[in-house]
């Protein structure tokens, strides 16, 4: 779809690559670190200052205690942490449970490790996506080794509610399951709501590997610095793989991010305000164009129902949209692993410059009019 956008000159609301600014101080610090010669292999588990900052962030924001030595691992993006967790904790014959639709690194991670990905569809309720606890329970078998939980969720923009997290946690404790989380949108939760890591729930810290990343929080997706926090045995399992995937990466970025993470709250408030405006612009524009957007409580994306335009197939819609309207979106079916009961969902991203969104919305409404 990105290639299609280049070829047709369409506004690309497909891929979730942010067009927004990064904190200027962070960029200057990276430049300084490079020029100061911080360009050699950092420690395999991550530079000490960043591990300390990750631990301090978890304590200050969520009241979670992790030892910077042994319970924090810096990785090449959240992607490497996720792959390392799958490879380090599962193998052939094991099952990994996650929700459908899901981020495309999960099926890939499961395939790399030889495990089977079992997906539980998120149910649609009104204008949002909800947990079906019965479906989750029946997806669990004797072979289930871990639950991969992405909240805030890509591609739906769903934030699992405290009640849903409680039900998931109870099931994991009951079945003695390990949970690997993907919380890369932890700071991008809108409308005054706050992200709750499942590790904060009773009985969960000791069984949860909590993964996040700098990419989405600071608009630096090209730097690929992520991290995992968890009890020492889970960190050791992930590290045993990570060590042979990349060993280590991003020395100057890691150093600069340590300081940025210490000051993340002010920055994140500003970014949330911008993204809230952008989300609302896009939602209003989609509605004006006759498409029905779902609620997005977090992240970069809006789901839209294309049936009002007479389409039932998101892939066909997305192939035709650049030619018809000069806009690129992504069919949600691309993120669907199991039976696709919602082929009429399409994902639009709003992590774009305001003028890109204004132009996209104008093009869509022109077509509707
Ligand atoms: C963007 C994204 C990632 C990738 O994070 P990196 O730090 O760039 O590897 C992982 N999970 C989700 C849900 C994402 O949207």
């Amino acid at each position: 779809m990105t290639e299609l956008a280049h070829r047709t000159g369409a506004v690309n609301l497909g891929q979730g690559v942010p067009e927004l600014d990064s904190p200027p101080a962070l960029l200057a610090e990276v430049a300084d670190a490079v020029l100061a010669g911080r360009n050699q292999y950092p420690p395999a588990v991550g530079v000490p200052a960043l591990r300390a900052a990750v631990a301090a962030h978890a304590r200050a924001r969520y009241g979670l205690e992790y030892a910077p030595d042994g319970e924090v691992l810096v990785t090449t993006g959240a992607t490497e942490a996720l792959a390392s967790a799958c490879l380090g904790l599962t193998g052939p014959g094991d099952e990994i449970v996650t929700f459908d639709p899901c981020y495309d690194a999960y099926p890939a991670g499961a395939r790399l490790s030889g495990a089977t990905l079992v997906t539980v569809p998120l149910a649609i309720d009104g204008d949002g996506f909800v947990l079906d606890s019965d479906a989750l329970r029946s997806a669990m078998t004797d072979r289930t080794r871990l639950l991969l939980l992405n909240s805030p969720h890509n591609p739906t923009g769903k934030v699992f509610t405290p009640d849903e997290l409680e039900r998931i946690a109870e099931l994991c404790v009951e079945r003695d399951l390990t949970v690997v989380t993907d919380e890369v949108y932890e700071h991008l939760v809108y409308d005054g709501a706050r992200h709750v890591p499942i590790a904060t729930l009773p009985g969960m810290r000791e069984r949860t590997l909590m993964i996040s990343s700098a990419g989405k929080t600071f608009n630096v997706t090209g730097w690929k610095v992520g991290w995992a926090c968890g009890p020492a045995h889970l960190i050791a399992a992930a590290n045993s793989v990570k060590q042979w995937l990349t060993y280590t990466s991003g020395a100057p970025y890691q150093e600069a991010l340590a300081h940025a993470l210490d000051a993340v709250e002010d920055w994140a408030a500003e970014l949330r305000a911008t993204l809230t405006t952008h989300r609302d612009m896009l939602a209003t524009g989609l509605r004006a164009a006759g498409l029905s957007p779902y609620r997005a409580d977090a992240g970069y994306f809006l789901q839209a129902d294309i049936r009002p335009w007479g389409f039932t197939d998101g892939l066909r819609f997305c192939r035709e949209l650049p030619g018809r309207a000069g806009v690129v979106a992504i069919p949600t079916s691309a993120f669907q692993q199991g039976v696709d009961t919602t082929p009429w969902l399409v994902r639009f991203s709003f992590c774009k410059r305001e003028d890109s969104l204004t132009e996209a919305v104008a093009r869509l409404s022109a077509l509707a009019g």
Side-chain angles (χ1 to χ4, degrees):
M1 288 303 165
T2 295
E3 198 267 324
L4 194 60
H6 286 310
R7 190 148 41 82
T8 58
V11 183
N12 190 355
L13 303 188
Q15 221 183 351
V17 178
E19 289 179 354
L20 306 169
D21 293 334
S22 304
L26 172 61
L27 304 182
E29 270 201 67
V30 169
D32 289 346
V34 169
L35 294 173
R38 309 294 249 266
N39 301 308
Q40 309 312 324
Y41 298 127
V45 292
V47 304
L50 180 54
R51 280 184 284 121
V54 167
H57 173 263
R59 184 187 312 116
R61 195 172 166 81
Y62 306 123
L64 285 166
E65 297 285 343
Y66 295 103
D69 291 322
E71 294 187 323
V72 178
L73 177 67
V74 177
T75 55
T76 305
T79 306
E80 188 190 38
L82 288 160
S84 300
C86 288
L87 286 161
L89 295 167
T90 69
D94 294 334
E95 291 175 356
I96 301 173
V97 172
T98 198
F99 295 100
D100 219 6
C102 66
Y103 187 62
D104 50 11
Y106 311 161
R111 239 173 272 136
L112 284 173
S113 79
T116 303
L117 189 72
V118 175
T119 54
V120 179
L122 285 171
I124 289 183
D125 182 17
D127 66 349
F129 296 80
V130 295
L131 167 72
D132 177 346
S133 325
D134 294 336
L136 179 61
R137 184 175 286 276
S138 41
M140 306 276 182
T141 73
D142 293 345
R143 290 182 299 278
T144 308
R145 285 298 309 280
L146 57 90
L147 175 75
L148 231 166
L149 179 66
N150 175 211
S151 184
H153 185 259
N154 175 7
T156 64
K158 172 186 173 53
V159 175
F160 283 76
T161 64
D163 172 61
E164 288 174 331
L165 291 176
E166 220 168 276
R167 282 184 277 153
I168 295 171
E170 275 170 16
L171 200 55
C172 292
V173 170
E174 182 188 311
R175 302 197 65 106
D176 196 20
L177 279 187
T178 298
V179 178
V180 173
T181 68
D182 179 344
E183 306 183 27
V184 301
Y185 297 103
E186 63 183 317
H187 287 284
L188 308 184
V189 176
Y190 311 128
D191 309 312
R194 220 177 144 78
H195 170 63
V196 178
I198 199 165
T200 59
L201 273 68
M204 293 306 291
R205 185 204 176 276
E206 60 263 35
R207 62 180 70 252
T208 303
L209 191 66
M210 180 171 83
I211 295 174
S212 192
S213 155
K216 308 292 162 58
T217 299
F218 297 107
N219 297 320
V220 291
T221 58
W223 292 3
K224 297 298 284 186
V225 178
W227 46 82
C229 297
H233 71 280
L234 295 180
I235 289 290
N239 191 32
S240 66
V241 176
K242 181 252 172 342
Q243 183 169 14
W244 304 108
L245 288 177
T246 56
Y247 173 51
T248 187
S249 59
Y253 303 116
Q254 288 194 31
E255 301 228 352
L257 280 165
H259 299 135
L261 204 55
D262 286 339
V264 68
E265 295 300 338
D266 288 345
W267 164 257
E270 201 179 304
L271 180 58
R272 273 195 298 274
T274 305
L275 284 166
T276 303
T277 309
H278 288 199
R279 176 198 63 178
D280 294 346
M281 268 178 75
L282 181 60
T284 306
L286 289 172
R287 232 173 268 124
L291 294 168
S292 315
Y294 282 79
R295 201 175 72 239
D297 294 326
Y300 279 176
F301 310 106
L302 277 175
Q303 294 290 326
D305 184 344
I306 55 172
R307 288 174 297 182
W309 276 21
F311 281 87
T312 49
D313 175 6
L315 181 58
R316 216 188 108 207
F317 176 90
C318 289
R319 284 209 173 109
E320 290 182 18
L321 195 62
R324 288 168 63 138
V327 174
V328 160
I330 288 184
T332 303
S333 58
F335 303 92
Q336 208 87 40
Q337 299 304 311
V339 177
D340 189 359
T341 54
T342 53
W344 34 266
L345 283 178
V346 162
R347 191 190 83 170
F348 290 88
S349 65
F350 54 83
C351 56
K352 305 298 174 183
R353 285 193 318 270
E354 195 171 324
D355 55 322
S356 307
L357 289 170
T358 309
E359 181 60 30
V361 161
R363 290 181 183 190
L364 288 167
S365 327
L367 194 68

